[in-house]
Each structure stands twice: as C-alpha cells, then as structure tokens.
Amino acid sequence: MLFNSFEYLMFLPIVFLLYWFVFKPLRWQNLFVVAASYLFYGWWDWRFLILIAITTLCSFASGLLLERLEGQRMKQKWVSAANIAFNLLILCAFKYYNFFGENLAALFKAFGMQLDWVTLDILLPVGISFYTFQALSYTIDVYQHKIKPTHDMVAFFAFISFFPQLVAGPIERATNLLPQFLAPRTFDYAKAVDGMRQILWGLFKKMVIADNCAVAVNLIFDEYQTLDGLNLFLGAIFFTFQIYGDFSGYSDIAIGTARLFGINLMRNFNFPYFSRDIAEFWRRWHISLTTWFRDYIYIPLGGSRCSRWKVARNTLIIFLVSGFWHGANWTFVCWGAFHALLFFPLFVLGKNRKYTDVVAKGKRLPGLREMCQMTFTFLLAAAGWIIFRAETIRQAWDYMVCMVTKFHLCMPEYGKKALIYIIILLVVEWLQREKQFGLQLESRGMLRYRTVRWGTYYVLFIATLLLAGRQEEFIYFQF
C-alpha cells in the first residue's frame, strides 16, 4: 500500500478514527495498531507477514531470555548473538542469496572451475532491512542494559510493525519508540495539525519533485550513450533530487502520520544538500541509519578512540556496510567506498566535525565561501548518486566519462518542468532550514492570519495533485 495511493487515502482516516474513538484503552489501541499495520504490510503480499512475525517473536523471546539469564553474561552473549545471527540469516537469504551465489560462481570460473550454483527467484520482502535492523537494535539494547525487556507482547509487535515507518524507516530504536507504546496516549490537536503539514510537504516532495524527476532520470540513464554531457549532468542532478524527494518525502509522511497517533518518530533528514562537507552531509542524510551504524558497529569496533589507522579502518567498514545494506550489487559497495574516500581527508585533517550548526544561521543568504562549499559538496554527492543509480560499475564509469568528454552547452532535452520544481523546493527549504521540515510555518507576519495559513496548505495540496508526475514506487522499498 503506497502512501500516495487511493487505498492509503481510504486506509488512513479509517484507522485514525477507530484508533481514537473506538479502541481507547491502551492495550486495545496497541492491538489495533498491530492489526492495521499487518493489513498495511500484507497489502503487498500476505506471505511477508510470516517473516515479520518470525522476526518479532524471536526478538521478543530473546529479550525475555536475556532477562532470565541476568548475571550469566556469557549465556546472555550467546542468546544475543544467536538472535542477531538468525535475523541476519533471514535478511541475507532473501536479499543476498543470489548475489553471493553468482559472485562465488564467477570466482570459481576465474580459476577454471565450474560451480553449479542454483539461483532462486526470490521475492524480496518490502522493507525487510528496515524492520530487521529495528528488531536487532532491541536485542542489542537489552543486552547492553540500555532498556529493560518488555513483557508486553502486543506493545512489542506494535513497535516492530508500526505501519508509518515499517517499510522505509526511520529505523527507530527501542529506547525511543517502545516506551511510547507502553504509555497511555492522548490526542493532541496541535501535534496532529503539525503532522498533517508534514504529510502534505512529504507528498509534495514525493509526487511533484521525485516523480517528475524520475521521468527524466529514466529516459536519460536509458539513453546516456547517445546524449551530450549537459543532459547527462542534468540526469545526475535530477536523480540527486529524485532520491531526496522520494526518501525524505517518505520520512516526512511517516513522521507526520505517527504524530496523528500521538507517536514521535526520530528525524531522518536535516536538509542534507545544504551541507558544507561530506561529513556534514552524512550527519544530515538518513540519520536513523547512519546513527544505527555508528552505535552498533562503529563504536563497538573502537570508534574514534583508537589508533588513527584503526579509525580509518572503522570508517571504511561503516561506509562499505552502508553501501552493501542498500542492495545486492557492487555499485552500492562502490558508492560506499566512494564516500569513504571523500571522508578520509576530513578525518586526517581533523575537520570531520567542523560543521555542526545550521549553515548561514540567522542570515537570509550564505556567504561566498559557504556557497562554494555547499556547491562542491552537492556535486560530490551527485557524482556518488550516479554510481548508486547505475546498474553496473562499468555503466557508472561510462556515464561519467561521457558526461565530461561530451559536455557542451545546449538546451536540455528532458526535465524542464522538474528543474522549476527543484528550484521551488530549494527556495522553500533554504528559508525553512532552521525548522524540522519545509512546511513548519510560524504564526507571524502574514502567516499569523488563519486564512493565509490554510490558503497556503490548500494551494500546495492542489499543486501537488495537478503537478504530480507519473506514480512511482518509493525507491527505498527495494532496500
């Protein structure tokens, strides 16, 4: 069930009304959340429900077992490791089986040996990487005594399957989300209105920005060998905004929807294309995943509190794992390695934490130095997205070579409307860069008038319907 579908348009208000007006007791609310979430997820394929139920039950049971083994650290370690390994095995079986098999067969062939590896036509469950990582965080946090194991199975099922963020995040931590399902919730009108604003802004980014960019991106990447360099450059720019509008739009819709139900989800994007270096970009892009890797892989490896070469090793591991998490293709691993190479100079010079505040805070426009930094960082990120979007490393290389060697000024062949929408997005988000999202309006100036604020919402809503591109599935569903 897509957020930008007619089915979801019917689903959300029905669930909202039943949640607040029928299933009022906490346990009934949580049970209803589970039922609604399983309906939402099973809409793609009911077989997916078996996997998420297995993951949830194993993680819930591991928490209870860890509590029972309190004081027996070695046994707790084995229980935690077993649950982590089991869930990763499920993830790898569905997401990476064919990848490993095909590459292993190619390796044997390089040495003159034939390996008859059977590939399987496996349907990748939507969002399996997201809910698997969320379940793993619970087991790890219980093992590390960051949270006590819950005995409320219904609340735990709601924590893992909460439909707004189930299939594409944010990847929530048990320390933040689970306690919210264990405590009574009351309807907050102001929070609900703010949530609706964020949903509207997310739909605009998805339907107007991402979907219109997608049309141009598909045409350009399909015909890249015959196009000139300027159109290829624009293709990279369009995909840069397609993936941002698509993924951050989903996150906005998810966070806004959760607020309608009295639930606060973590922020997932913080205007990443206004970053002044790659380190800042990664603090602003897919925050829930980058902090997950930081807390559960980078820090356990030693983090930054070890020798310089080990820190470099840890950093490389994080980026390679991040790339591989995105998909079973060498292009994603190469994309991760590319960002690691961009990050290393900042680390060596001790400048990887240089920019932690809002760019040009309190100013209308950035200075020349900041503008150059943002432009350079944006272009580096766009180059990385070419690797990410390509089907093979060879295609990514050919694309970039053609973009440079065949570059000359001409009229763009594709995406003229998308360029206008991108400019609108950049202007709005620049003006709102100190807020949580683009449509978080304050009641001051003309906006202090209720009719002006609601007029703005209606205009944006109608514009979203009229300017929407061809409906595309969210990119990150495949991850």
Side-chain angles (χ1 to χ4, degrees):
M1 192 182 300
L2 300 174
F3 280 164
N4 55 329
S5 67
F6 177 78
E7 293 87 353
Y8 188 76
L9 182 63
M10 298 294 100
F11 171 84
L12 182 58
I14 293 173
V15 172
F16 175 82
L17 293 173
L18 292 174
Y19 177 87
W20 287 116
F21 297 103
V22 178
F23 299 95
K24 292 184 178 181
L26 177 62
R27 188 168 184 82
W28 283 104
Q29 271 191 342
N30 289 340
L31 190 60
F32 179 65
V33 166
V34 175
S37 298
Y38 271 59
L39 173 63
F40 174 84
Y41 193 54
W43 201 266
W44 278 281
D45 192 320
W46 67 268
R47 292 171 294 180
F48 293 169
L49 301 178
I50 300 173
L51 285 178
I52 191 173
I54 291 173
T55 295
T56 306
L57 284 170
C58 290
S59 299
F60 177 76
S62 72
L64 297 180
L65 193 53
L66 287 170
E67 182 181 48
R68 182 176 298 180
L69 296 173
E70 185 64 39
Q72 304 178 58
R73 202 59 178 163
M74 185 55 66
K75 290 184 178 180
Q76 285 186 321
K77 186 175 183 178
W78 280 107
V79 169
S80 178
N83 184 63
I84 292 171
F86 178 72
N87 282 297
L88 289 179
L89 181 62
I90 293 175
L91 177 63
C92 290
F94 280 88
K95 191 170 182 178
Y96 302 108
Y97 175 85
N98 288 340
F99 173 80
F100 285 124
E102 291 167 0
N103 281 277
L104 190 62
L107 181 62
F108 272 71
K109 186 176 181 180
F111 288 95
M113 294 179 284
Q114 185 68 31
L115 178 64
D116 295 324
W117 185 276
V118 179
T119 58
L120 301 177
D121 186 17
I122 300 176
L123 181 64
L124 180 65
V126 177
I128 187 173
S129 299
F130 289 90
Y131 71 71
T132 298
F133 270 37
Q134 190 156 308
L136 293 180
S137 72
Y138 171 77
T139 301
I140 298 171
D141 286 348
V142 170
Y143 173 74
Q144 295 178 343
H145 298 106
K146 293 180 180 178
I147 188 173
K148 292 183 178 180
T150 180
H151 291 255
D152 189 333
M153 182 182 289
V154 175
F156 189 77
F157 264 74
F159 156 67
I160 296 295
S161 65
F162 188 43
F163 73 89
Q165 46 88 226
L166 173 59
V167 293
I171 302 171
E172 274 295 343
R173 310 296 180 82
T175 50
N176 175 50
L177 185 55
L178 184 55
Q180 296 186 66
F181 284 112
L182 296 172
R185 299 176 290 277
T186 56
F187 180 73
D188 186 324
Y189 176 79
K191 182 184 289 188
V193 170
D194 198 49
M196 289 295 293
R197 283 196 290 256
Q198 193 159 4
I199 292 171
L200 179 57
W201 184 242
L203 287 171
F204 175 80
K205 287 198 287 186
K206 164 59 181 169
M207 297 171 67
V208 178
I209 304 299
D211 287 353
N212 276 291
C213 285
V215 175
V217 169
N218 293 337
L219 291 170
I220 292 171
F221 272 79
D222 287 344
E223 303 174 12
Y224 76 93
Q225 293 175 319
T226 63
L227 295 173
D228 61 87
L230 177 61
N231 278 287
L232 298 184
F233 174 77
L234 289 176
I237 300 302
F238 289 141
F239 183 69
T240 298
F241 282 98
Q242 179 194 351
I243 196 167
Y244 172 66
D246 189 282
F247 194 21
S248 70
Y250 181 97
S251 293
D252 281 334
I253 299 169
I255 295 169
T257 302
R259 286 181 182 169
L260 296 179
F261 298 92
I263 300 293
N264 294 314
L265 300 179
M266 71 177 295
R267 188 177 190 179
N268 213 18
F269 288 86
N270 185 13
F271 308 115
Y273 292 152
F274 298 143
S275 301
R276 288 153 288 187
D277 59 34
I278 286 296
E280 185 182 12
F281 172 82
W282 278 105
R283 287 192 294 274
R284 294 173 174 271
W285 178 273
H286 202 172
I287 299 168
S288 64
L289 180 65
T290 54
T291 55
W292 198 101
F293 282 130
R294 180 198 66 196
D295 294 344
Y296 298 120
I297 299 180
Y298 182 73
I299 292 177
L301 286 173
S304 302
R305 298 183 178 182
C306 48
S307 62
R308 187 170 290 269
W309 80 267
K310 285 187 177 180
V311 175
R313 177 205 64 185
N314 298 343
T315 301
L316 179 61
I317 289 173
I318 287 298
F319 278 108
L320 291 179
V321 172
S322 175
F324 197 51
W325 176 90
H326 281 84
N329 194 318
W330 286 112
T331 55
F332 298 118
V333 178
C334 184
W335 171 75
F338 172 76
H339 275 277
L341 292 175
L342 297 180
F343 190 87
F344 282 149
L346 298 173
F347 158 71
V348 171
L349 297 174
K351 295 183 178 181
N352 54 304
R353 300 291 299 179
K354 184 176 180 180
Y355 300 112
T356 57
D357 59 336
V358 177
V359 60
K361 188 174 183 178
K363 301 178 183 178
R364 290 190 176 183
L365 297 173
L368 179 61
R369 177 185 175 86
E370 290 174 321
M371 178 62 74
C372 292
Q373 290 172 326
M374 286 191 293
T375 302
F376 183 62
T377 303
F378 174 82
L379 292 175
L380 290 176
W385 291 129
I386 294 175
I387 304 172
F388 191 96
R389 174 60 174 76
E391 296 180 4
T392 64
I393 296 176
R394 178 61 183 270
Q395 186 191 62
W397 174 256
D398 288 345
Y399 188 102
M400 287 190 276
V401 169
C402 290
M403 183 174 66
V404 174
T405 59
K406 297 167 63 177
F407 191 91
H408 64 271
L409 295 178
C410 62
M411 285 296 294
E413 293 189 34
Y414 307 109
K416 296 183 182 67
K417 290 193 299 182
L419 279 174
I420 298 173
Y421 305 150
I422 288 171
I423 292 171
I424 294 172
L425 172 74
L426 287 173
V427 171
V428 172
E429 294 210 330
W430 175 260
L431 295 175
Q432 296 289 95
R433 67 192 182 282
E434 296 183 32
K435 305 292 193 305
Q436 291 292 309
F437 58 94
L439 203 59
Q440 190 176 43
L441 305 178
E442 294 182 353
S443 299
R444 62 182 184 182
M446 288 296 295
L447 291 174
R448 69 179 183 272
Y449 299 110
R450 182 183 180 90
T451 53
V452 176
R453 292 198 306 275
W454 281 93
T456 302
Y457 306 147
Y458 282 121
V459 168
L460 186 62
F461 176 72
I462 294 171
T464 300
L465 295 178
L466 295 179
L467 303 178
R470 185 180 60 199
Q471 187 184 60
E472 298 279 347
E473 191 173 79
F474 287 90
I475 293 174
Y476 265 69
F477 281 3
Q478 63 185 293
F479 306 135

